[in-house]
Amino acid sequence: SYNMAPEWDAVKRGILHLADGLSGSWEAPLKVHLVPFPSRQDRLKKHTAISPSVLSQALSGLRPLGACGGKDLDRAMDFAVRQVPWGKNNRRLIILIVNSPVAGARSAERLALSAAKKGIEVHVLSMGKQGPDERNLLRQVAVVGKGFYREVAYRQKVFDLRGAATDLYMEGGRFF
C-alpha cells in the first residue's frame, strides 16, 4: 500500500537480503513469488523470481499504491495459499510485510491454519501502523501459521513550530 512508500527502498533491500540468506547466496535453488495486495488492485498477480537479478527487477517494477485493509490481506493470503504453485520437496514460506491497518481481516487466521496444514509457514513483519487489536491478529496469524511475528522498529523525524528536528524511535506503535 501507499503507507509503505517511505520504507519501500528498505523493504526491497530486506527482501533481497532475505532471499540471499534463504538460498545460501543463491547457491541453493530458490523461487520467490511476490504478491502485492493494495486495495486498488482488482486482480492479484504474482511476480516470480529465480535469481537475484530477476528478483531485483521484479521489485523495481513494483510501486506502493492505494491502501490496504483486512479484506486485502485476506485476499492475498487466500491467493498465496491456494494459487501459488508450491513445490513438494521445498521449504515453503509466506512472509507478510504489513504497514497498513488490517482491521476487518476475517479469514487470515483460518488461511494461516490452512497454510500450516499444507506445510507452509506464515511469518509476519509488522511495520507500525496497526493498533493493538491488529497487532494481536497478526501475531496470532504467525502463531497459527507456525511462523514468527516481528515488529520493525523505525525512526521518524518530526519538527516543532520553530523548525527544530527531533528523532522519534518507534516499535509496535510505541515511542522509545
Side-chain angles (χ1 to χ4, degrees):
S1 79
Y2 190 72
N3 276 334
M4 185 132 349
E7 297 94 9
W8 185 232
D9 287 337
V11 169
K12 290 189 292 187
R13 284 191 308 274
I15 292 169
L16 289 167
H17 183 73
L18 179 65
D20 189 67
L22 287 171
S23 66
S25 298
W26 293 90
E27 293 294 322
L30 177 70
K31 190 180 286 185
V32 177
H33 301 284
L34 300 169
V35 182
F37 53 99
S39 61
R40 288 179 39 193
Q41 187 172 319
D42 292 334
R43 192 171 149 263
L44 292 176
K45 63 180 183 176
K46 67 179 172 29
H47 306 269
T48 303
I50 58 171
S51 72
S53 61
V54 174
L55 179 56
S56 183
Q57 184 179 11
L59 287 166
S60 295
L62 297 175
R63 301 277 180 268
L65 66 113
C68 169
K71 291 178 184 177
D72 303 304
L73 174 65
D74 288 345
R75 197 168 59 120
M77 285 189 64
D78 184 67
F79 183 90
V81 171
R82 298 179 200 280
Q83 296 184 35
V84 167
W86 297 97
K88 295 279 184 221
N89 298 320
N90 302 328
R91 185 169 180 199
R92 295 171 275 184
L93 308 165
I94 292 174
I95 302 172
L96 297 170
I97 303 172
V98 184
N99 192 25
S100 293
V102 293
R106 303 284 180 248
S107 306
E109 286 184 68
R110 179 181 53 77
L111 290 162
L113 180 61
S114 180
K117 287 179 180 178
K118 292 181 175 189
I120 304 166
E121 300 168 32
V122 180
H123 303 277
V124 178
L125 293 174
S126 175
M127 296 180 64
K129 302 253 182 186
Q130 293 85 29
D133 291 342
E134 293 163 314
R135 283 194 301 277
N136 287 337
L137 168 71
L138 292 170
R139 188 176 292 112
Q140 190 62 25
V141 164
V143 168
V144 170
K146 299 182 180 177
F148 63 75
Y149 171 84
R150 298 290 187 271
E151 291 179 347
V152 176
Y154 59 96
R155 179 185 69 156
Q156 182 173 353
K157 191 174 288 284
V158 296
F159 300 90
D160 66 16
L161 292 174
R162 288 176 262 136
T166 301
D167 288 322
L168 300 177
Y169 296 89
M170 297 177 276
E171 180 179 339
R174 298 180 308 267
F175 295 111
F176 60 96

